Amino acid sequence: MVHPTKKQKRGSSSSSSSSSSSIETSYTVKASSSSSSCPTKQHQLPLFLSKTYHMIDRCDPTISTWSIAGDNFVVKDVEKFASEVLPLYFKHSNFSSFARQLNFYGFRKLRSDPILTNDIDPQTSCYVRFYHEKFQKDHPELLQTIKRATKASDQQSKEDVDTLKLEVYKLKNLVTEMEVGMERKISDMTYDYNRRITSLTTECDRLANLVK
Amino acid sequence: MVHPTKKQKRGSSSSSSSSSSSIETSYTVKASSSSSSCPTKQHQLPLFLSKTYHMIDRCDPTISTWSIAGDNFVVKDVEKFASEVLPLYFKHSNFSSFARQLNFYGFRKLRSDPILTNDIDPQTSCYVRFYHEKFQKDHPELLQTIKRATKASDQQSKEDVDTLKLEVYKLKNLVTEMEVGMERKISDMTYDYNRRITSLTTECDRLANLVK
DNA sequence: GGGAATATTCCC
DNA sequence: GGGAATATTCCC
């Protein structure tokens, strides 16, 4: 089978279909050295989102299409969708890989869940629906607001690091407080000690003089 | 162009060439819940290594081949290698992506670097050689010992976490030592203090009795 | 050559 | 549905 995306680079539009692209498909990694307000080097819409939007938009509606209200999309024939549609846009033909990406971007699976067994429509029971608040028919401008999840391990590591840094901070404060407290306590004790010693010594001297 | 690896899954052998595979090509993620000595679920050789080994082994030698000694491999025609050979094994046809993967696995680029400009052979000056101690012609068994680099950020995070944990450990020890030290110091001071007060008080009492 | 992001795979 | 690995891309 011909693989139309073979030489595709990020930033070029999909080569498999017509090109009246209404959404930004380029992707640029945010320059690590620039501030986040730099207008030229911002990361743009991930290709996954623009590809998926176009894919649903242009798909044979008997395989996959928008819902009637346009607020979700349905894959009616997972088999055909995987083998015939996905490879037009992605470097694979696995439905589960597509679903994994949807999951990364926060899409949720919708279920019809009929109450009665009799209500199960054999025609539509195998349909798979996906929903994302910002993934709507005729509203590609919303796509920009969809954020990909950062990896959980990174998240965890960051939290771990932050927790440990806080602990180090608190411990250093404690050490400083203990040093100050110890110094003051010893200073106070020494003061009292010397005062009482002096007082007793004076008394001894006075009495010693009287004894003489 | 036909894309032979389209439906390939990890664990299946490359479908583009003959199949007298002498090396393990399956890949299984290490089960996180099992001990590292579990023989059935170990991660095997990454596909990148087995694919690259076969690729060099089977390549048209005018495009890429092993060195004469078999201890490195040379890409003689980067252009053709990228467009014709890479996509037989990988989901792309970019030489830089291939090089990036080599880099992940610890391969080094070799240069001929002739001393004299005259020594530059226009035939071979554009050759690109790669070397890895464990990537040798006729020794596929060495491939298993090649380890992919873990991501630098993870590495960094791990080191950061370890450093911070050590710091927390040291600070907690310091706090304990300070507590013990302070207690002993105050105890010692109190002891001296009481001894001298007692001694002086006794002397005062003795003198007071004499005065009476 | 390598950092860091997204993409794809595999597993639980 | 999501964790974690490898794969691919893009950038410095």
Side-chain angles (χ1 to χ4, degrees):
Chain A
M1 179 186 172
V2 172
H3 194 289
T5 60
K6 187 175 74 71
K7 281 197 171 180
Q8 183 185 351
K9 290 187 176 181
R10 289 186 181 178
S12 64
S13 59
S14 292
S15 54
S16 56
S17 296
S18 65
S19 52
S20 59
S21 173
S22 59
I23 57 177
E24 180 56 67
T25 58
S26 67
Y27 172 87
T28 309
V29 172
K30 182 165 53 186
S32 56
S33 57
S34 68
S35 84
S36 60
S37 61
C38 171
T40 57
K41 292 266 181 176
Q42 284 302 77
H43 63 267
Q44 304 293 342
L45 196 56
L47 276 182
F48 174 77
L49 292 174
S50 46
K51 285 184 173 186
T52 301
Y53 185 89
H54 284 141
M55 183 168 62
I56 303 307
D57 234 28
R58 299 166 179 172
C59 192
D60 173 354
T62 66
I63 298 177
S64 176
T65 186
W66 294 103
S67 67
I68 294 169
D71 67 327
N72 65 67
F73 70 92
V74 54
V75 179
K76 297 178 180 175
D77 188 333
V78 170
E79 197 81 0
K80 270 196 176 179
F81 182 79
S83 62
E84 297 177 15
V85 182
L86 281 179
L88 298 177
Y89 297 88
F90 300 101
K91 296 185 167 187
H92 64 84
S93 50
N94 303 312
F95 190 76
S96 59
S97 292
F98 176 63
R100 185 71 191 85
Q101 280 285 74
L102 289 172
N103 176 263
F104 263 125
Y105 285 92
F107 284 72
R108 313 305 302 197
K109 219 175 189 172
L110 294 183
R111 306 195 211 180
S112 42
D113 282 334
I115 308 297
L116 296 173
T117 320
N118 277 347
D119 289 348
I120 295 176
D121 179 350
Q123 285 290 312
T124 63
S125 64
C126 60
Y127 285 13
V128 183
R129 285 183 188 277
F130 288 97
Y131 167 82
H132 189 294
E133 194 189 6
K134 301 298 176 50
F135 192 83
Q136 308 276 332
K137 185 181 183 184
D138 298 326
H139 291 284
E141 77 282 0
L142 293 176
L143 297 181
Q144 314 170 53
T145 64
I146 299 178
K147 293 283 166 264
R148 192 183 199 273
T150 55
K151 282 196 313 178
S153 61
D154 285 5
Q155 206 83 329
Q156 191 55 45
S157 287
K158 286 242 169 62
E159 280 170 27
D160 288 353
V161 169
D162 287 348
T163 304
L164 283 167
K165 281 181 178 170
L166 183 63
E167 195 167 3
V168 166
Y169 174 78
K170 285 180 176 172
L171 282 167
K172 282 182 174 173
N173 268 357
L174 177 59
V175 167
T176 304
E177 276 169 27
M178 284 176 73
E179 280 170 349
V180 170
M182 182 157 66
E183 217 165 311
R184 182 162 49 230
K185 181 148 194 169
I186 286 170
S187 164
D188 288 355
M189 281 183 69
T190 305
Y191 178 79
D192 278 351
Y193 167 80
N194 285 336
R195 196 169 52 78
R196 292 184 62 180
I197 297 289
T198 303
S199 149
L200 281 167
T201 305
T202 306
E203 179 69 3
C204 274
D205 287 350
R206 188 183 66 80
L207 290 169
N209 277 335
L210 290 178
V211 170
K212 247 190 295 189
Chain B
M1 177 188 172
V2 173
H3 195 289
T5 60
K6 189 175 71 75
K7 282 197 172 181
Q8 182 184 354
K9 288 188 177 183
R10 288 186 182 180
S12 65
S13 59
S14 292
S15 55
S16 56
S17 296
S18 66
S19 52
S20 59
S21 173
S22 58
I23 57 177
E24 180 56 65
T25 57
S26 68
Y27 173 88
T28 309
V29 172
K30 182 166 53 187
S32 55
S33 57
S34 68
S35 86
S36 60
S37 61
C38 170
T40 57
K41 293 265 183 178
Q42 283 303 77
H43 64 268
Q44 304 293 341
L45 197 55
L47 275 183
F48 175 77
L49 292 174
S50 46
K51 285 184 173 185
T52 300
Y53 185 89
H54 284 140
M55 182 168 64
I56 302 307
D57 233 28
R58 299 166 179 173
C59 193
D60 173 355
T62 66
I63 297 177
S64 176
T65 187
W66 293 103
S67 67
I68 294 170
D71 68 326
N72 65 67
F73 70 92
V74 53
V75 179
K76 296 176 178 175
D77 189 334
V78 170
E79 197 81 358
K80 270 195 176 180
F81 181 79
S83 62
E84 298 176 16
V85 182
L86 282 178
L88 299 176
Y89 299 88
F90 301 101
K91 295 185 168 187
H92 65 85
S93 50
N94 302 313
F95 190 76
S96 58
S97 291
F98 176 62
R100 184 71 191 86
Q101 280 284 75
L102 289 172
N103 176 263
F104 264 126
Y105 285 92
F107 284 72
R108 314 306 300 197
K109 218 174 188 173
L110 294 182
R111 307 196 211 177
S112 43
D113 283 332
I115 308 297
L116 297 173
T117 320
N118 277 348
D119 289 347
I120 296 176
D121 180 351
Q123 286 289 313
T124 63
S125 64
C126 59
Y127 286 12
V128 184
R129 284 184 189 277
F130 288 97
Y131 167 82
H132 189 294
E133 194 189 5
K134 302 295 176 51
F135 192 84
Q136 307 276 333
K137 185 181 182 184
D138 298 325
H139 291 284
E141 77 283 359
L142 293 176
L143 297 181
Q144 315 168 53
T145 65
I146 299 179
K147 292 283 166 267
R148 193 184 198 270
T150 56
K151 282 198 313 178
S153 62
D154 284 6
Q155 206 84 327
Q156 192 54 46
S157 287
K158 286 241 171 63
E159 279 169 26
D160 288 352
V161 169
D162 287 348
T163 304
L164 283 166
K165 280 182 178 170
L166 182 63
E167 195 167 3
V168 166
Y169 174 78
K170 285 180 177 172
L171 282 167
K172 283 183 173 174
N173 269 357
L174 178 59
V175 167
T176 304
E177 276 169 28
M178 285 175 72
E179 281 171 341
V180 170
M182 182 156 68
E183 217 166 311
R184 180 161 53 228
K185 182 148 192 168
I186 286 170
S187 164
D188 288 355
M189 282 182 68
T190 305
Y191 178 79
D192 278 352
Y193 168 80
N194 284 337
R195 194 169 52 78
R196 291 184 62 181
I197 298 287
T198 303
S199 149
L200 280 167
T201 305
T202 307
E203 178 67 2
C204 274
D205 287 350
R206 189 183 63 80
L207 291 170
N209 278 334
L210 291 180
V211 169
K212 245 188 301 190

